[in-house]
Amino acid sequence: MKNANSMSLRICTANALAAAACLTATPVAAATLDAKAAQALAAERTWQIKKPRGPGNDFWSWKADGSVCVRLGEKTGKCADTGKWRLDGERICYELTWWGAQNGLKSTCFRVDDQGKGRYAALEDNGLTMFEFSLDK
């Protein structure tokens, strides 16, 4: 009986330790940026946006004057499209000349979530991720 109780105690202890490890390993929820942080992340910065399909990145340069330049697959050079951006509360809103018109992204707003380690996500109001990005260095 002593061995059965000892074995049961070891199993319970192992299960409790495993549960505690799972709780401490749970990732911290992403933090949605407030208006000031979102503006600081955009103004005079270039974002390296991970393409949702296929390899490579697009580069969006956000200017403090409210203009935006979109380069598809290239860091520098001529803008593939241009537009305007502004803050709407904690959301960044943009309107481009033509890019994204076929899939409803010509004009949109999104919140920015800090995913940690220099990674960010642009989130629609329903919480779905529009795209992921990092700052171009």
Side-chain angles (χ1 to χ4, degrees):
M1 192 63 140
K2 181 179 176 187
N3 284 344
N5 285 342
S6 176
M7 180 62 127
S8 181
L9 179 61
R10 279 187 262 164
I11 290 171
C12 288
T13 302
N15 286 339
L17 289 173
C22 288
L23 289 175
T24 58
T26 302
V28 176
T32 301
L33 301 183
D34 64 18
K36 186 176 180 179
Q39 183 168 8
L41 189 66
E44 296 302 322
R45 307 296 281 277
T46 297
W47 295 359
Q48 181 174 320
I49 297 177
K50 181 179 172 184
K51 288 187 179 184
R53 294 177 199 90
N57 297 293
D58 293 330
F59 296 86
W60 290 44
S61 297
W62 308 85
K63 301 295 181 186
D65 68 0
S67 64
V68 62
C69 166
V70 177
R71 292 182 188 87
L72 304 176
E74 300 178 348
K75 260 188 188 186
T76 60
K78 187 177 177 183
C79 301
D81 198 3
T82 59
K84 295 287 183 187
W85 73 275
R86 63 180 170 77
L87 284 179
D88 178 15
E90 295 179 344
R91 301 180 317 157
I92 295 175
C93 300
Y94 68 81
E95 185 167 346
L96 299 173
T97 306
W98 65 269
W99 185 84
Q102 64 272 17
N103 50 8
L105 295 176
K106 179 178 175 181
S107 175
T108 195
C109 296
F110 58 88
R111 297 182 194 289
V112 176
D113 267 16
D114 186 342
Q115 304 287 299
K117 298 183 181 180
R119 295 177 299 125
Y120 300 90
L123 301 181
E124 297 176 8
D125 287 338
N126 62 10
L128 295 177
T129 299
M130 291 174 57
F131 57 85
E132 296 175 342
F133 69 95
S134 60
L135 297 177
D136 183 46
K137 296 175 171 107

